[in-house]
Amino acid sequence: MDEIIEIYKKQELSGTISQEDFLERVGEKVNQMGGLCDTKTAAMLVAHDLGAGDTRGEGAGNEVQKVADITPGTGNVRLIAKVMSVFPAKEFNRNDGTIGRVANLLVADETGSIRLTLWDDKADLVKTGDITVGQTFQISGYVKEGYSGVEVNIGNNGVLCETDEKIEASVASTKITDIKNGMGDINLKARVLDIADIKTFNRKDGSTGRVSNITVGDDTGKIRVTLWDEKTDLLPELNINDSIEIINAYARENNFSQQVEVQVGNRTILKKTDKEVDYSENFTPISDIIPGESYSVKGSVSGIGDRRDFTRDDGTENSVSNIYVSDDTGRIRIALWGEHAGLIDEVDIDTEIEIIDAFSKSGFNDEIELSAGNRTRIIVL
């Protein structure tokens, strides 16, 4: 109670509201927040609503800081930030035999984003749905170096109190060229280049899963993005050339292609954005192609082979055909697999064509060739 009266006096509110009415409003604010803030923070919010200039108090622990200024040595911190992503709460066993609860949020202000780790009673607010994406909070906690970098931890004595204050939230983006295997907390703005069909599969526990892929690009390159389970429901909303934002994804190397991919799971946000992302395809001169890499080439059809249908060892049917493509630097054979095999019926000699994301290898007589499979896009110009 003394802290609340001190805030009332410090902000010189006697000419605006009586002390009794101020205390009443503080109680209403606590009830309104449903337990999301303590009485001191509620008093600060009420004073702010009444037009008080500085409701933050004095001392290093009370000064509102920007996300960009938070470092591992910051210690106690107070900030105002918007919730960008909410991760499910989890339970764990402590050494003393009690059960703890923990949950994580990704929050941001106009200077950047940071992870919040909520413990016990604060983590329960995620489980009950009291914390959702888009809310803005006054936050008070302590900074530490976490598993994924610097984070703010909020225990039962910390502050997580919703506020009506308007802020512009900015999540730092990772460029595609900087994405490496094993990276987490990837935030990416990119343009949709290709959308694959959704496939179902059976897990070891007998449940059915869903998976699909999109290819996205920015001004530094392109990368394959894998969407799992309910995240595949987002695909009907996407179109080629849409600009999207991916928040809190992780990178993993594909065991088959040895290419690093971005993974979108249940903790990841994928949404359209109105901010257009620049991308232009990087076409490699045919003479510069070496085995063991993925390339995009463009040129004219300079040879057309026959189509061959065959049965795989697993009993499934497949097809393959071949064309040759030439540019100003050379000529290369391209093997067209599966649905691409029918391309030979659509093109003629001198047809202009783009082959995007085909894999190079040594073929007949050790000549380099490109293999166009299900990850390859072909555009007839």
Side-chain angles (χ1 to χ4, degrees), residues 281-287 289 295-303 323-334 343 347-356 370 377-381:
E281 189 68 41
N282 180 30
F283 292 101
T284 301
I286 289 174
S287 61
I289 295 174
Y295 291 99
S296 296
V297 298
K298 66 177 178 178
S300 58
V301 176
S302 56
I323 61 172
Y324 286 85
V325 173
S326 299
D327 65 9
D328 294 338
T329 70
R331 185 172 188 255
I332 193 167
R333 178 176 179 264
I334 300 175
L343 183 70
V347 299
D348 294 309
I349 299 298
D350 293 332
T351 297
E352 296 295 318
I353 195 169
E354 294 178 353
I355 310 291
I356 300 172
L370 290 175
R377 287 187 295 135
I378 300 178
I379 301 173
V380 177
L381 302 176

Side-chain angles (χ1 to χ4, degrees), residues 65-71 74 79 108-114 170:
Q65 292 183 263
K66 297 299 183 182
V67 169
D69 298 327
I70 298 174
T71 66
T74 299
L79 67 151
D109 62 15
E110 70 276 12
T111 70
S113 59
I114 196 167
S170 173

